[in-house]
Amino acid sequence: MSNPITNKITLNMGITIPSTIFIIITCFFAALFPEQSGAFLNVIKNFIFVNLNWVYVWAVTLFVFFLFYLMLSKYGNIKLGNNDSKPQHSFFSWIAMLFAAGMGIGLMYFSVAEPMQHFSSPVFADEDVITRTKNAQLYTFFHWGIHAWAIYGIVGLSLSYFTYRYKLPLSLRSCFYPLLKDRIQGRWGNLIDIFALCSTVFGITTTLGFGVVQINSGLVNMNVFPDTGFTYQMIIVCVLIAIAVLSAVTGVSKGIKTLSRINIVAVIFLLLFVIVVGPTSHILGSFTQGLGYYISQFVELTFNTHSYKTDELPWFYDWTILYWAWWISWAPYVGIFIAKISKGRTIRDFVAAVLIIPTLFNFIWMTVFGNSAMWIDKFKAGGALSEIAANPDVLMFSFLAYLPLSSVTSLLVILIIVIFFVTSADSGIVVMDSIATRNSSKTSKLQIVLWGAILALISLVLLNAGGLKALQTMTLITALPFSIIMILFIVSLMKALRVDYKYYQRDFSVPTNLWTADSWKDKLRQIVTFKNKSAIDLFLNTTVKEAFEELQTVLSNYEIKSKINTHKNPNRIEIEIKHDMVNNFIYGVRNESINLPEYFLNEDNLPDVDSDESFFPLSYFGDTREGYNINYFTKNELIIDVLKHYERFLKLTSEEKNVMFISSNINHKKFKKIKRQFKKSD
């Protein structure tokens, strides 16, 4: 899925220049005034988290239930691409890349730290040990489960659909096409992409910065580096970004895929090792119980705002709301990357895989490391891990020290973090270049190096100045407007899916069922001739009226009374057969119009059209069923069509089970009254 390399710069300056200016200004203040800018941004963040946390809760809830709806709905079979598209990557490679881009370093950073922090939090100090342990696992599942992946899934699915189905650029602006149409190519589209590029740079920079700190701590723990000074962090950043740039130049299909495969194998090996040498029975039992507890508490967790437990509100803001904001802020980056690797999947396959498979793996991973750490803290460490729970940089390595071969496993952890770092930076470089070039078909090696240098420079400057926290806060603030943008993605996607489904499900017009080979030239003439209003009025007053009058005459031979009604605005004519006990039979035709799109009018090889409005005769029925264009009917064909509907009407009215549909309220009451009279007479 890599773009061909060229020597020509393909950056879109309308996106790149404003984004670069904003990034430089933000990082300048974060680096030179870390405390002041951090304090200012914290005021904004705290206001949002305290007063607008419900926006995050409702938005994430909507994302989850919308994706479940799509997975189970008729839209699930729609492909992200042409109907004959095939997936570009094997299922294993696809999942491995999803996993590496979506969670990556965070799993290593928080797998021990988060459960331990929930377990040792003063907020839950009044609860017994068992309850604190169960809830620590539950909250960790909640924060790293379906809700997190639903956020990524909304952006990834929208991008995949509009890119591969609508043939639009792989850009966030494309997700607004049903709402903005061609205006996505203008300033609104640029503004959306500028937002996406800045959000991606900030999100990747802060995550990579924290990853560097953990790698540094691990190397100190193994006596490779003497301390966690800036010099050693600079070495780590330069080496790993250089590898990431090299990987990005080779392309997604080679670099990221290869690294992701290696990493998933290393992750599984480490996972199995801890299961075997750790408290095995406790791990397996707690996973089973924890999964059931998560499922049973799913709805309550989803809607819980802790409004009735005010002492838990600070914890709620600092964990759940922060996580939702963090995942949303990362969604442009992860969503674009997921879209780049998901062509050819069906919507159902996409949603099921993105929501369920990474979630289950996260649950297993968090259980193995988090529950093992809590078990060791209670039964072997004497609370030593709880005491350092607030220091996640070293917590993973401190946990491994209580297991066999700790030096080997610590080295493996560092290797995994390094690969996660490289894949995150690698995919981040690819995504940033994609946004800045508006998904150009070609890219330049110089651009790849430029984005890598920007990531390295910003990370180092902020690590040295202590400005990472301020930048992280800035990223969390941007999540609020982007959550609204994501809701608009849903509106746009549903609008497109409805059109898509109707397009491929639409059958031939009903009148074409009566066509014969003898009349094909006449039918072609009618197809390529677009009518004006007066032509359809003439059709109503001649062909339609004559057909109804002839049918009325024949019906009277069977003592069936009918009436022909004419109406204006719009012009319409109908034949009506009145009844006392059941609804009247009505078959009508009205003069209907549609507006023709501009591209249709300007296309040379389409039929000539004199006006942007075309008129046609549309049938309608007394029971409000959807009608159809009868423009191609002759008089006799129209009579046959009326008789088909009349036969259907008689068949349905002869079956008592249909009484609720064939009788209006007034007639239905009369019908029930007569039934009661018949019963009394019996």
Side-chain angles (χ1 to χ4, degrees):
M1 208 48 236
S2 58
N3 292 336
I5 299 295
T6 178
N7 293 324
K8 183 180 178 181
I9 297 297
T10 58
L11 296 173
N12 182 287
M13 295 307 166
I15 299 170
T16 306
I17 292 176
S19 300
T20 304
I21 293 172
F22 184 76
I23 290 168
I24 290 173
I25 292 173
T26 303
C27 293
F28 174 82
F29 280 101
L32 294 185
F33 310 102
E35 293 183 5
Q36 295 90 332
S37 58
F40 173 73
L41 293 172
N42 265 320
V43 170
I44 301 174
K45 186 200 77 172
N46 291 335
F47 175 84
I48 292 172
F49 281 19
V50 172
N51 298 284
L52 299 174
N53 61 80
W54 55 272
V55 176
Y56 293 112
V57 172
W58 275 108
V60 174
T61 301
L62 176 62
F63 303 155
V64 171
F65 287 103
F66 175 70
L67 287 179
F68 274 123
Y69 162 73
L70 285 186
M71 183 173 64
L72 300 174
S73 73
K74 61 186 179 183
Y75 305 118
N77 290 325
I78 294 176
K79 278 198 173 183
L80 303 176
N82 296 331
N83 288 335
D84 58 353
S85 295
K86 302 294 181 185
Q88 293 182 312
H89 304 284
S90 69
F91 187 75
F92 177 78
S93 295
W94 182 51
I95 293 298
M97 288 188 284
L98 276 180
F99 187 75
M103 295 299 174
I105 294 172
L107 280 180
M108 306 304 298
Y109 199 76
F110 288 104
S111 57
V112 174
E114 181 170 347
M116 287 302 307
Q117 289 189 35
H118 295 322
F119 175 75
S120 58
S121 173
V123 175
F124 307 115
D126 294 338
E127 298 174 350
D128 60 80
V129 174
I130 294 176
T131 301
R132 283 192 287 126
T133 305
K134 286 175 59 180
N135 285 341
Q137 181 187 36
L138 176 66
Y139 297 138
T140 305
F141 279 13
F142 179 45
H143 296 149
W144 291 81
I146 286 174
H147 295 74
W149 282 99
I151 294 170
Y152 293 158
I154 289 291
V155 180
L157 179 61
S158 300
L159 284 165
S160 298
Y161 178 81
F162 288 107
T163 299
Y164 304 124
R165 194 77 171 175
Y166 271 45
K167 307 297 187 294
L168 293 171
L170 183 63
S171 167
L172 290 181
R173 71 173 72 202
S174 297
C175 300
F176 284 96
Y177 181 78
L179 300 177
L180 298 178
K181 294 295 190 294
D182 291 336
R183 283 175 291 174
I184 64 171
Q185 306 300 336
R187 64 181 65 180
W188 283 107
N190 283 347
L191 187 62
I192 293 166
D193 283 344
I194 290 168
F195 181 92
L197 183 56
C198 294
S199 178
T200 299
V201 171
F202 293 157
I204 294 174
T205 300
T206 51
T207 300
L208 296 185
F210 294 133
V212 168
V213 172
Q214 192 180 26
I215 292 171
N216 198 174
S217 298
L219 293 174
V220 170
N221 186 68
M222 296 182 64
N223 298 317
V224 176
F225 286 165
D227 56 57
T228 57
F230 176 70
T231 302
Y232 303 107
Q233 292 175 352
M234 183 170 62
I235 294 172
I236 294 169
V237 169
C238 292
V239 170
L240 297 185
I241 290 293
I243 297 172
V245 169
L246 181 63
S247 175
V249 170
T250 65
V252 174
S253 296
K254 295 180 181 178
I256 299 176
K257 182 189 290 187
T258 302
L259 289 171
S260 297
R261 284 175 171 175
I262 294 171
N263 219 29
I264 203 72
V265 172
V267 161
I268 291 173
F269 178 80
L270 179 63
L271 185 77
L272 294 175
F273 175 81
V274 176
I275 291 175
V276 172
V277 303
T280 307
S281 297
H282 176 72
I283 291 172
L284 298 177
S286 61
F287 170 74
T288 303
Q289 186 170 347
L291 184 60
Y293 194 32
Y294 172 78
I295 293 172
S296 68
Q297 297 294 310
F298 185 85
V299 174
E300 182 178 347
L301 285 169
T302 299
F303 291 97
N304 191 358
T305 57
H306 299 263
S307 297
Y308 299 111
K309 295 184 177 180
T310 54
D311 57 324
E312 294 181 5
L313 284 175
W315 173 89
F316 174 62
Y317 303 146
D318 291 340
W319 283 100
T320 302
I321 298 303
L322 184 142
Y323 262 123
W324 292 173
W326 189 243
W327 299 144
I328 290 171
S329 69
W330 259 66
Y333 153 60
V334 180
I336 291 174
F337 182 75
I338 291 175
K340 287 182 81 73
I341 62 175
S342 297
K343 183 179 181 180
R345 308 280 171 184
T346 66
I347 288 178
R348 182 170 292 112
D349 291 343
F350 178 95
V351 174
V354 169
L355 284 191
I356 297 173
I357 295 177
T359 292
L360 279 176
F361 188 88
N362 285 357
F363 288 178
I364 295 170
W365 182 269
M366 292 298 190
T367 298
V368 170
F369 287 87
N371 283 37
S372 296
M374 289 186 286
W375 186 89
I376 288 173
D377 188 60
K378 287 184 288 184
F379 298 108
K380 294 180 69 174
L385 294 179
S386 293
E387 292 176 1
I388 59 170
N391 188 5
D393 298 335
V394 300
L395 194 52
M396 169 66 85
F397 303 105
S398 300
F399 158 70
L400 293 174
Y402 290 93
L403 300 176
L405 302 175
S406 60
S407 58
V408 176
T409 53
S410 294
L411 180 61
L412 183 59
V413 165
I414 293 173
L415 175 65
I416 292 171
I417 297 173
V418 165
I419 297 178
F420 273 141
F421 184 105
V422 172
T423 53
S424 295
D426 182 345
S427 53
I429 290 168
V430 171
V431 168
M432 288 188 293
D433 191 64
S434 176
I435 298 172
T437 62
R438 293 185 61 180
N439 197 37
S440 171
S441 59
K442 294 182 179 181
T443 191
S444 164
K445 287 184 179 179
L446 180 61
Q447 290 170 207
I448 299 294
V449 174
L450 174 65
W451 293 120
I454 288 174
L455 283 181
L457 183 62
I458 295 175
S459 298
L460 289 174
V461 168
L462 295 178
L463 278 168
N464 186 45
L468 274 178
K469 287 288 185 182
L471 192 61
Q472 182 189 38
T473 305
M474 177 70 188
T475 307
L476 296 174
I477 292 171
T478 63
L480 182 68
F482 193 67
S483 64
I484 307 302
I485 291 174
M486 289 176 65
I487 292 173
L488 293 177
F489 282 0
I490 291 177
V491 175
S492 185
L493 185 59
M494 275 307 303
K495 189 172 183 178
L497 287 174
R498 284 197 294 268
V499 173
D500 190 324
Y501 186 82
K502 287 183 178 180
Y503 176 87
Y504 284 102
Q505 294 299 317
R506 180 177 291 184
D507 205 347
F508 299 117
S509 299
V510 174
T512 62
N513 295 328
L514 300 174
W515 287 4
T516 62
D518 296 336
S519 61
W520 73 268
K521 291 183 180 179
D522 290 334
K523 300 304 182 189
L524 177 59
R525 177 181 54 79
Q526 290 175 306
I527 289 173
V528 299
T529 303
F530 287 80
K531 306 290 196 312
N532 56 30
K533 187 174 185 298
S534 59
I536 300 304
D537 285 342
L538 179 62
F539 178 79
L540 293 179
N541 294 326
T542 55
T543 303
V544 177
K545 187 175 182 180
E546 290 170 6
F548 288 174
E549 287 175 344
E550 184 172 337
L551 180 58
Q552 183 183 41
T553 300
V554 178
L555 284 172
S556 64
N557 296 335
Y558 298 93
E559 298 184 351
I560 298 174
K561 296 178 182 180
S562 59
K563 180 183 178 183
I564 297 175
N565 305 315
T566 57
H567 305 275
K568 299 292 184 181
N569 298 321
N571 289 339
R572 54 193 173 99
I573 183 171
E574 62 189 29
I575 184 169
E576 180 180 24
I577 302 175
K578 292 191 173 183
H579 304 97
D580 290 330
M581 307 315 306
V582 296
N583 293 332
N584 299 335
F585 172 81
I586 295 175
Y587 184 109
V589 182
R590 68 172 179 264
N591 193 337
E592 192 68 45
S593 68
I594 59 168
N595 291 318
L596 299 174
E598 185 177 353
Y599 65 82
F600 192 94
L601 300 173
N602 296 330
E603 175 59 56
D604 293 335
N605 205 28
L606 286 172
D608 290 334
V609 184
D610 297 328
S611 171
D612 61 356
E613 191 175 21
S614 177
F615 293 81
F616 62 95
L618 182 71
S619 62
Y620 62 89
F621 314 104
D623 56 4
T624 69
R625 283 176 294 124
E626 186 176 358
Y628 43 83
N629 184 352
I630 64 159
N631 186 48
Y632 312 120
F633 278 160
T634 63
K635 183 184 74 172
N636 288 338
E637 288 171 345
L638 181 56
I639 293 173
I640 291 296
D641 196 55
V642 177
L643 292 180
K644 284 182 179 180
H645 287 276
Y646 188 54
E647 188 276 336
R648 175 185 180 274
F649 173 83
L650 292 177
K651 183 175 177 60
L652 291 173
T653 53
S654 66
E655 299 174 3
E656 186 177 344
K657 64 182 180 181
N658 298 321
V659 63
M660 293 300 296
F661 298 99
I662 65 173
S663 174
S664 65
N665 290 333
I666 296 175
N667 289 340
H668 184 55
K669 292 176 181 177
K670 293 180 181 178
F671 185 78
K672 288 197 296 184
K673 183 177 180 180
I674 293 175
K675 279 188 69 176
R676 285 197 298 268
Q677 291 174 347
F678 273 113
K679 286 183 179 179
K680 288 179 180 179
S681 63
D682 290 343

